[in-house]
Amino acid sequence: MQKREFAKSGGQSGGSSAPTPKRGRPFGSTSANSAAAAAAAAAAEAMSPSALLGPSLHIHNSFVEQNNKRIVLALQSGLKSEVTWALNTLTLLSFKERDEIRRDVTPLAKIPSLLDALLLIIDDWRDIALPKDLTRGARVRSLGVNSSVTGFGTEYDALASIQTPGSGVGSSAGEALGKKSTGKHQSSQWWSEEDGLFNLDDEGRAEKQLCAIAASNVIRNFSFMPDNEVVMAQHRHCLETVYQCINDHMTDEELVTNSLETIVNLAHLMDLRIFSSSKQSFIKINEKQAVQAVLGILNSSVKAWNCAAAELLGRLIINPDNEPFISPLIPQIHKRLVDLLSIPAVDAQAAAVGALYNLVEVNMDCRLKLASERWAIDRLLKVIKTPHPVPEVCRKAAMILENLVSEPQNRGLLLAYENAFAELLFQDGKYSDSFARILYELTARSNSRVASARGIWGM
């Protein structure tokens, strides 16, 4: 949770200190010179404590086994100090460098109740989250003065302000605060202005938000571990929470980003029918709402979200059991993916081509609707002609065109691009086989595929 603060402090002191060693390597262990090792150790002692905090810390392999119950209980306690400690610990344990081979990775998602405890933190934030464009006026908080202090927000200050010499936080304090607020608020106004009992102030709400973001980051890290994929993909509460965070994408961008990356990592194992299964449900969401939430992200103005949503749809459609829930929205999906092809960004084009490639492999209906989509053929050809810097993207674009021409109903639409196909056939040898088959299908009779003499582009 404190990752960004640590990074800032480390960046300020980075000019006067030695570079942080890699994870698990003590200072001087890679050097044969004892003097160099001693100098490295002295430099390590001189480093500021904040520069040592973060993923570079070495944690013993048995730490999780010895403290797994304590971590879960700390998350469930609701106390700010305990929750913060548990989230920071889990962030360190779940962090992994991009090319790092971790032999000590612990399947954290398999620790009893840990995943549910993390999801509860996100659910608690979602229950009090407000849209960013909503403005709220200041209000006097009198409800919940006798509740236990959790440490979030300015609860200690609020209790100190209502205490008087010789009196506790009991009925006298409540009466004093009630008298103080009587002149400012009428009893009829509390019903509309008070969101609920024991609400947090703005500072406490912001701290809860940071905890939710940190919890979502830990869950995201879990999803990158192969040992956790099956457990998380079959965990209904986990899927409901991440899909609901995607659906409420106007609350916090980092929460949405972590949820998207989590669900993309699990998509190849995901069965949308889990939302109507007999497993216990925590958030009411069905298969149709889940797909519509992904479509909403696909239509958002954030390019990174568009790419992730396109990749997610391309992975979900591979499972035949998900096809009935995605097929009704195929026209809208096609339209948006074709729009992404026009964006001058290689990652957006690659994501769109990858999703379209999987969609047209599914059934005839997807191929017919894509061929009739305006600008679809032109933009696929442009990806190949430019060409895209990744050859695999160009190959998939050519395969999409080949799949489209395999349907007799599409040949009339694609025949208008015969000259463009012929030009690519003779200019680009990498994809000449695909365009030779495309031209053959365009000019051959539908009932005489075997007779190559029937087409002028016979093979």
Side-chain angles (χ1 to χ4, degrees), residues 42 131 225 395 427 437:
M225 302 178 185
R395 187 191 69 83
Q427 286 184 356
R437 288 190 292 266

Side-chain angles (χ1 to χ4, degrees), residues 135-209:
T135 57
R136 300 173 55 198
R139 59 184 175 85
V140 177
R141 299 176 65 252
S142 63
L143 297 180
V145 294
N146 294 324
S147 63
S148 59
V149 177
T150 62
F152 287 97
T154 55
E155 291 175 326
Y156 291 113
D157 298 338
L159 290 176
S161 64
I162 63 176
Q163 289 182 1
T164 57
S167 63
V169 193
S171 59
S172 60
E175 293 173 359
L177 188 57
K179 294 178 181 179
K180 180 179 180 181
S181 61
T182 303
K184 295 183 179 180
H185 295 275
Q186 299 295 330
S187 59
S188 60
Q189 294 177 334
W190 281 110
W191 182 259
S192 59
E193 294 184 6
E194 189 70 23
D195 296 329
L197 293 176
F198 315 130
N199 283 294
L200 295 170
D201 54 20
D202 292 337
E203 184 178 347
R205 188 185 298 273
E207 292 172 350
K208 284 279 191 179
Q209 182 178 4

Side-chain angles (χ1 to χ4, degrees), residues 109-125:
K110 294 183 180 180
I111 297 178
S113 304
L114 176 59
L115 190 56
D116 288 303
L118 287 168
L119 295 170
L120 183 61
I121 293 177
I122 301 177
D123 292 341
D124 288 345
W125 155 244

Side-chain angles (χ1 to χ4, degrees), residues 36 82 86 113 188 270 307 387 438:
E82 294 294 322
S113 304
S188 60
M270 193 179 304
C307 298
I438 290 173

